[in-house]
Amino acid sequence: MQKRAELYRGKAKTVYSTDNPDLLVLEFRNDTSAGDGARIEQFDRKGMVNNKFNHFIMTRLQEAGIPTQMEALLSDNEALVKKLEMVPVECVIRNRAAGSLVKRLGVEEGMLLSPPLFDLFLKDDAKHDPMVNESYCETFGWVSKANLARMQELTYKANEVLSKLFDDAGLILVDFKLEFGLFNGEVTLGDEFSPDGARLWDKETMDKMDKDRFRQSLGGVVEAYEAVAHRLGVKLD
Ligand code: C5P
């Protein structure tokens, strides 16, 4: 496999084509953004930690029967993945209230949400990722009804698997975001799962160990990500 042209540069990752039309290289950079890219900082080791973290989680999800784009870890900062036709809608599950839900509804941070909430957001930084629902997806043609139902099913399944995984590591999976795409017509998990796109709290202290440390200027961003990786048994060095 040979890495070829840069196809797309996102806020934290760069995507490259390869000599195989079905495969891409994801490069995890040290950039960390908040406020839809309004604030960006670099943190040493963050790209490496998120790349290895993501590979570990995607492998667990694949083992649990969730189709993912992950093929292989290529280097500290790169992974080989299947090329998906991405759906421009983000799936969010919330097990506890935090972030935009607290802002929107004024409920108390940490409130248990049972059953967990499922939200959809349009992936569009310029519009600040507006919240949408199933009928918007159908009317605007972002994803078919059947594929959206499958995305929802897989997101709930991932929540089951990951809530248990993090709980066993002494962490609460508060909420997380997943992005899907199609590979040969099959709904497949893409993008990444890392502390950049999930909220993880220490079970004992309720300390935040995710990107909220950056959003809220709490410090120790990469140290928290590394601590989470260590507790899960992700090999970093
Ligand atoms: O901002 P909000 O509270 O709606 O985020 C819910 C979850 O989805 C959080 O874990 C957040 O990190 C993640 N998220 C994300 N990318 C976005 C929006 C939310 O990773 N564009």
Side-chain angles (χ1 to χ4, degrees), residues 10 20 29 36 55 67 113 117 179 186 197 203 221 236:
N20 181 332
R29 307 194 314 273
D36 300 312
H55 177 261
L113 303 169
L117 290 174
E179 294 183 30
E186 186 188 13
K203 246 171 29 178
V221 179
L236 293 181

Side-chain angles (χ1 to χ4, degrees), residues 6-17:
E6 178 178 320
L7 292 182
Y8 171 79
R9 187 178 166 91
K11 294 192 291 290
K13 296 190 294 299
T14 309
V15 182
Y16 297 88
S17 62

Side-chain angles (χ1 to χ4, degrees), residues 56-67:
F56 178 91
I57 296 287
M58 290 291 173
T59 304
R60 297 287 94 78
L61 294 176
Q62 187 81 43
E63 287 165 359
I66 296 172

